[in-house]
Amino acid sequence: MARPHAHSEKVKTVAENRRARFDYFIETVYEAGIALTGTEVKSLRFGEGSIAEAYAEVNEGGVWLVNSNIPEFSHGNRFNHEPKRPRKLLLHEREINKLHGAVAREGMTLVPLSIYFNGRGRAKVELALAKGKKTHDKRESIKERDWKREQGRILRDRG
């Protein structure tokens, strides 16, 4: 009997780029697999890893996660991985072509939002096709966030 398909179900978030939603307008979100070595997976399972300064680029017929930091595994030996190496993201050919077109023509950016393990225990990257915000857009986001917070306070007090 086949197992029920747990599609895009986040079980354990390892790293999150919290600044991405503030700095960019998120257009489309993709879920991509990530090609890792054994010690990288072990390091991620221990909750180590950062994608704060990371970005993705399309080249050589694939999408690569650049500048993500997965520290060396503490119990690793001489076969340990390089912490900041580029890692290949696993996407369908049609998705890669769509991303390549958007980045080349429309001036959009590929931003990783989070790295997590799905229901089947596979490491996944939530990748967003985004457009950068200008300074006045960021100010608008701050005003909106503050107003939402103030609204919550008012509703709670009148409760």
Side-chain angles (χ1 to χ4, degrees):
M1 189 167 126
R3 271 193 339 202
H5 204 57
H7 192 63
S8 71
E9 191 178 306
K10 286 187 184 183
V11 173
K12 180 184 176 194
T13 302
V14 178
E16 196 170 7
N17 189 352
R18 299 182 65 185
R19 215 133 159 105
R21 295 189 192 277
F22 179 73
D23 289 337
Y24 298 96
F25 290 115
I26 307 297
E27 299 287 323
T28 316
V29 177
Y30 295 93
E31 179 184 53
I34 182 167
L36 300 171
T37 63
T39 53
E40 287 174 327
V41 175
K42 289 180 180 181
S43 196
L44 283 176
R45 287 210 188 274
F46 275 107
E48 299 174 353
S50 168
I51 55 169
E53 313 90 32
Y55 62 95
E57 61 182 22
V58 182
N59 61 1
E60 301 170 22
V63 181
W64 297 82
L65 184 63
V66 181
N67 211 18
S68 63
N69 183 27
I70 299 175
E72 289 186 342
F73 183 55
S74 58
H75 294 71
N77 53 14
R78 66 176 187 241
F79 300 113
N80 230 334
H81 63 276
E82 189 181 322
K84 284 208 173 223
R85 75 176 182 88
R87 293 166 178 91
K88 186 167 186 160
L89 297 179
L90 310 172
L91 290 160
H92 290 284
E93 191 72 32
R94 187 174 59 246
E95 291 175 325
I96 293 171
N97 293 335
K98 196 179 291 186
L99 293 174
H100 179 66
V103 169
R105 275 182 258 115
E106 300 166 26
M108 302 192 81
T109 309
L110 291 173
V111 182
L113 298 177
S114 64
I115 295 179
Y116 61 92
F117 287 99
N118 68 0
R120 297 177 63 191
R122 305 267 194 247
K124 300 285 184 179
V125 175
E126 197 172 38
L127 189 67
L129 191 59
K131 195 179 259 320
K133 283 185 183 179
K134 304 278 190 267
T135 308
H136 64 273
D137 294 327
K138 291 180 186 177
R139 282 192 211 114
E140 194 64 39
S141 296
I142 292 170
K143 283 180 191 172
E144 192 175 311
R145 186 178 61 211
D146 288 346
W147 170 239
K148 293 265 187 204
R149 191 177 296 141
E150 190 62 33
Q151 256 182 333
R153 283 192 194 121
I154 291 170
L155 288 173
R156 207 174 334 124
D157 290 344
R158 289 190 180 171

